[in-house]
Amino acid sequence: MDNSLPPADELVLVDRELARLEARRTQLLTRRAWLVQVLYQPARAATPQRPVPPVAPAADSTPRSAQNVLLTLGGTLLTIAAVAFTLVSWGSMGIGGRAAVLCAVTGAALAAPVVLLRRGLASTAESVAVLGLVLTVLDAYALHRVALSDADGLGYAAVASAVLAGAWAAYGSALPRLRVPLPAGVVAAQLPLPLGALAAGGGATAFAWAALVTAAADGAVVLWTRPLPVRITAGAGAAVLGGWALLTGGWLSLSSPWSGAPLLLTGAAVCLYAAWRASASAWAVAVSAVAGPAAVAAVGGLLRSVLPGDWAVPGYVLCALLLVSVWRAGARVPRGVRTGLAGAGASTVALGLAWALPPVAAGALGPLARTTEVWSGEHAGPAPVAYPATATLVLAVVAAVLASVPRLWARCGALVLVWALLTALPVAPGLPYAATLALQLLTTAAALWIAVHPTPLTRGLPRPETPPTPSPDANTTTAPAGSPTTGPTDHPTTGSTGRPATGPVASGPVGRPAAGPTGAPAAAPAGQSTSGSVPPPPSVPPRAPGAGFGAPGTGWAPPRPRPQAPAAEPGSILGWVAYAGGLVSAAGAVALALDVRGATFLVLAAVLGLLTGVTVLGTGARRTVSACGAVLAAAGLAFAGAAAAGLEDHWAGLALLLVPAATAAVGAKARPVALPVEITGAVVGLAALGLTVSRPAFLALALALGGVIAAATAVRPERRRFASWTAAGLFLLAAWVRLGAWGVTTPEAYTLPVTVPALVVGFLRRRRDPEASSWMAYGPGLAVTLLPSLGAAWTDPEWVRPLVLGVAALGVTLLGARFRLQALLLLGGTVLALDGLHELAPYVVQVVGALPRWLPPALAGLLLLAVGATYEQRLRDARRLRERLARMR
């Protein structure tokens, strides 16, 4: 029996239930707002409310900044006035008056800051003190002009700067609240020794030593003084003068090593001492990075002076490697010092490797830049003919050092340098052609073998740590410190096992009071405090009974740890490095082998065997690339064989088709690399077609053979669709090229081979899918023949083609009407109408020419009247015709 209510009654019940739920929701929201207010009101009451200060209008500048501007401007103006007085108005006063003015003004300017500091006017005292310091410089200048005019200018400046430095330092020490005198004394202390060296007639070396001693003193000030402005000023002076001294020492190490070495070594010692004292700061790294090149330049310059010229760079590299070895000193040397020295040494080694690169580039890329004919027997000389043979020694030494370091980056660098050494070895000593070719093949084989078996190179390397796999259970996620955590089934009224909590209070891990069914906190028993409870913020919705955080319906889920990508295996990285070098060496060996016919076949066969071996033994992308390279090597062998046999290009193209045929056969069994191998074979096939373009008959034969290969490939299910269409296209192109070679110009000879298969395919498609559109099934095939034939018929003066085309179009139209096929009806009818119009056009022209000129307008008028009279009926007929066409497929 049917118990369903009528729709009107059921609608009333649904409305009542929705109203009840809405009322309940409003009640719960009101209760929640009251609970939040009760929980958070004590916290707000305990927090003292700070009064909001009134916001004053923003001023354009602060009082202190305005004061500093005024004081600076006043001190500057007074300084300018003092200079003008000293230089311009000096001659208008006697010796006593001048001395009295200078002494009085200078003494007043230096004494005034004492009084000003006692009254708390520190900024004003600073400005007046600066004026006093400037006046002391003017006093020294005036003294030289009046009393010591015969003294040497540089020597007097050196003595005066020393006196001023001491006086300013004493003045600043006496008044420590002034910030300018002590840094000013440091600035003045930079001049005595360099100016004294110039006054004594010393050259660049003496000036550099004076600058170095001054820089050392500045370093001592930086290390042993506390005022920050003094340390900054001394550090800047040390950087400028010390840098000048080291640059001079570097220049001397090139021109006069025995003069520059002591200067560089002393500078390096000073820098190392400063870095050692500041080992815990970043300055230690920077200063050590300066000391390292200085020491290398000093010792390397001495070695260069006693060794032959070709051994200069190896000497520098050896010194740099000794510097890099400081990194292994451990805790005996501070980390900052070790980092700076090792970085400086590594940079010098990198420069030495850059010096050794030209022979490597010549060995790798030289054969590719061919300057001789293929198979001419002549060999192009290496590019750097006179390059030192010690370049290979640099590569070998650095490779050995890197190989001893148990780190992945070091092993990769050693592997690259060994490959570079083997590549450059034939260039620098100038090995003969056979030895060079053998060495390149050996390098290729070794690199490819390492690419397949990199395990021996990974011995001693630390294994990469595998990241922990995150647990699928979100409840095992570790919560951050201070955040609430819950067990798998914790909720306000149950324990961790899901059973009701026994005891006076069931609290969560952070002491949250248990909530009742409505979300209100349960009352704590007497004597138990709930002050440690943390109420949920208003933005967090209350948890439903029986649901913990992360449960469905709570709107919150604990964060899941993101899975980390596993670290790359050392063997994989080393394998790729070796594989890249092997491919480059293989390309260079093939290019070099083109000088001699026999060497070409030997090298191509060797490369084919090596790449095939990597394809069989390798894995991943290296296997795929090797398989493609093996196909190219086989293509090279086929083309070289055709060229050696004296075949012309079109015959060589036919011979090259053996490669895609072989790849199609191999692809049926080599599943992992089948598609890349077949694509590479197809590319070789395109090159073969390009060789036969000059001979259309051979091009047609090559296209037909390509179609046969594609048809044979289409037998395989995974290649059936693409290969079948490719085979059909190649066969069609072969037929077209053959027809063109025979001189056939009839368009039907080119279009019918397309139309017939297309119509057959369309017929089969309609049998499988009767709902398929006739335009998709038959439209392309019919258009390929009918439209070109129609164009040819309009330009054909004979009557045979239009007649045959009209008969064919009529047959197509009748078939379309019989089977209700829209494509056949419209295409056939359109072609038939246009073909008939072409045939009747001459007669229409003749008739129109014979009729009176007024007759055509009259006939047109009658036609319009007739159409207007039967307009409605014609519209109905046209609408009915359109509907009939629309119902066709």
Side-chain angles (χ1 to χ4, degrees):
M1 57 182 299
D2 187 10
N3 295 327
S4 60
L5 296 175
D9 297 339
E10 187 176 0
L11 179 61
V12 171
L13 293 177
V14 170
D15 290 338
R16 289 176 182 176
E17 185 68 15
L18 289 176
R20 189 182 66 82
L21 292 176
E22 185 65 22
R24 180 59 177 169
R25 181 177 181 274
T26 304
Q27 179 185 1
L28 292 177
L29 288 177
T30 305
R31 178 67 176 177
R32 182 182 182 279
W34 179 81
L35 291 173
V36 170
Q37 182 180 4
V38 170
L39 289 174
Y40 281 86
Q41 187 173 5
R44 287 196 299 268
T47 304
Q49 300 294 328
R50 297 181 180 179
V52 179
V55 180
D60 292 337
S61 61
T62 62
R64 182 171 296 276
S65 63
Q67 165 192 297
N68 293 336
V69 170
L70 294 176
L71 292 176
T72 303
L73 182 59
T76 303
L77 293 177
L78 288 176
T79 302
I80 295 174
V83 173
F85 171 78
T86 304
L87 298 179
V88 178
S89 302
W90 186 258
S92 61
M93 301 180 63
I95 184 66
R98 286 177 279 181
V101 170
L102 282 175
C103 290
V105 174
T106 303
L110 294 178
V114 178
V115 179
L116 294 174
L117 289 175
R118 290 176 181 175
R119 296 186 178 183
L121 302 176
S123 299
T124 306
E126 198 78 52
S127 300
V128 176
V130 171
L131 176 62
L133 297 182
V134 174
L135 289 176
T136 57
V137 177
L138 297 178
D139 289 342
Y141 170 76
L143 180 63
H144 178 264
R145 290 292 302 273
V146 174
L148 302 174
S149 57
D150 296 336
D152 179 60
L154 288 176
Y156 179 79
V159 175
S161 59
V163 173
L164 289 177
W168 291 352
Y171 184 71
S173 301
L175 299 175
R177 296 179 61 186
L178 298 178
R179 293 173 295 178
V180 175
L182 285 177
V186 175
V187 172
Q190 310 302 310
L191 302 177
L193 290 180
L195 293 179
L198 295 178
T205 304
F207 183 83
W209 276 105
L212 182 60
V213 173
T214 306
D218 289 334
V221 171
V222 172
L223 294 175
W224 294 326
T225 57
R226 299 189 61 181
L228 183 60
V230 175
R231 297 173 62 187
I232 294 176
T233 306
V240 173
L241 294 178
W244 178 266
L246 293 179
L247 289 177
T248 304
W251 174 73
L252 290 175
S253 69
L254 298 176
S255 58
S256 179
W258 294 98
S259 299
L263 182 62
L264 289 173
L265 290 176
T266 304
V270 172
C271 292
L272 282 179
Y273 179 77
W276 205 290
R277 290 295 303 270
S279 58
S281 64
W283 289 103
V285 179
V287 177
S288 299
V290 173
V296 171
V299 180
L302 294 178
L303 292 176
R304 184 175 54 83
S305 64
V306 298
L307 294 176
D310 293 348
W311 292 85
V313 175
Y316 284 107
V317 172
L318 180 61
C319 298
L321 290 175
L322 293 176
L323 199 63
V324 173
S325 64
V326 176
W327 179 259
R328 295 191 173 185
R332 292 173 295 177
V333 179
R335 183 178 180 85
V337 177
R338 288 189 291 125
T339 303
L341 292 178
S347 301
T348 306
V349 172
L351 292 177
L353 293 176
W355 171 82
L357 282 182
V360 180
L365 305 178
L368 301 178
R370 172 164 299 280
T371 58
T372 58
E373 295 293 334
V374 177
W375 293 354
S376 62
E378 300 177 359
H379 312 299
V385 177
Y387 211 82
T390 52
T392 56
L393 178 62
V394 172
L395 296 173
V397 171
V398 178
V401 172
L402 289 178
S404 64
V405 178
R407 291 292 183 272
L408 179 60
W409 61 267
R411 294 290 172 85
C412 292
L415 186 58
V416 171
L417 290 180
V418 169
W419 173 84
L421 172 64
L422 296 176
T423 304
L425 193 59
V427 178
L431 295 181
Y433 176 78
T436 301
L437 194 59
L439 186 59
Q440 284 194 344
L441 285 178
L442 178 62
T443 303
T444 303
L448 294 180
W449 182 84
I450 294 175
V452 176
H453 299 287
T455 306
L457 297 183
T458 61
R459 294 176 182 174
L461 295 180
R463 305 294 299 176
E465 296 182 0
T466 304
T469 303
S471 173
D473 187 3
N475 296 308
T476 60
T477 304
T478 303
S483 63
T485 58
T486 60
T489 58
D490 285 347
H491 56 83
T493 59
T494 59
S496 61
T497 60
R499 296 186 297 270
T502 58
V505 174
S507 60
V510 295
R512 182 183 290 109
T518 62
Q528 185 171 351
S529 173
T530 60
S531 60
S533 62
V534 181
S539 59
V540 179
R543 290 176 291 174
F549 283 108
T554 62
W556 185 90
R560 292 178 178 268
R562 295 183 178 179
Q564 300 179 0
E569 288 290 336
S572 177
I573 298 176
L574 290 170
W576 273 110
V577 172
Y579 187 69
L583 292 182
V584 175
S585 296
V590 171
L592 185 63
L594 295 178
D595 292 346
V596 181
R597 177 181 299 181
T600 302
F601 286 97
L602 177 62
V603 171
L604 284 174
V607 171
L608 176 60
L610 291 174
L611 293 178
T612 304
V614 177
T615 304
V616 175
L617 301 177
T619 58
R622 290 194 289 271
R623 169 188 288 182
T624 303
V625 176
S626 300
C628 298
V631 173
L632 295 178
L637 276 174
F639 186 76
L647 301 180
E648 298 181 5
D649 289 345
H650 50 276
W651 285 108
L654 294 178
L656 206 58
L657 287 176
L658 295 174
V659 176
T663 57
V666 172
K669 298 181 181 180
R671 296 296 181 185
V673 294
L675 183 59
V677 165
E678 291 173 356
I679 292 176
T680 309
V683 173
V684 175
L686 291 178
L689 295 178
L691 293 175
T692 60
V693 168
S694 59
R695 301 290 293 272
F698 283 88
L699 178 58
L701 179 59
L703 289 170
L705 293 176
V708 172
I709 297 172
T713 307
V715 177
R716 293 156 51 191
E718 71 276 9
R719 301 284 188 266
R720 183 166 298 160
R721 179 181 298 272
F722 180 77
S724 60
W725 285 103
T726 304
L730 290 175
F731 283 134
L732 181 61
L733 289 176
W736 285 356
V737 172
R738 172 54 65 183
L739 291 174
W742 285 340
V744 177
T745 58
T746 303
E748 290 78 10
Y750 297 90
T751 58
L752 285 176
V754 181
T755 297
V756 174
L759 293 178
V760 171
V761 172
F763 177 74
L764 296 177
R765 169 71 183 277
R766 291 272 299 177
R767 287 188 61 183
R768 291 196 306 268
D769 185 11
E771 298 297 326
S773 172
S774 62
W775 286 103
M776 294 295 297
Y778 304 116
L782 292 175
V784 167
T785 294
L786 293 179
L787 296 182
S789 298
L790 180 62
W794 271 74
T795 58
D796 192 353
E798 302 296 333
W799 59 272
V800 178
R801 185 189 302 275
L803 178 60
V804 175
L805 178 61
V807 173
L810 178 60
V812 171
T813 304
L814 294 176
L815 288 175
R818 169 65 180 81
F819 296 101
R820 302 178 63 188
L821 299 176
Q822 189 181 95
L824 277 67
L825 182 61
L826 292 182
L827 279 176
T830 302
V831 172
L832 180 60
L834 293 176
D835 185 64
L837 179 62
H838 171 264
E839 293 303 312
L840 294 177
Y843 303 103
V844 173
V845 172
Q846 292 178 5
V847 171
V848 172
L851 292 176
R853 293 188 177 182
W854 57 266
L855 187 58
L859 293 177
L862 291 175
L863 178 63
L864 291 177
L865 289 175
V867 171
T870 59
Y871 181 73
E872 185 176 0
Q873 182 63 32
R874 298 298 178 266
L875 286 179
R876 188 180 298 110
D877 295 341
R879 190 178 300 110
R880 187 179 298 112
L881 177 61
R882 184 183 63 183
E883 293 174 355
R884 289 179 180 177
L885 289 175
R887 286 194 296 269
M888 294 182 179
R889 292 294 179 183

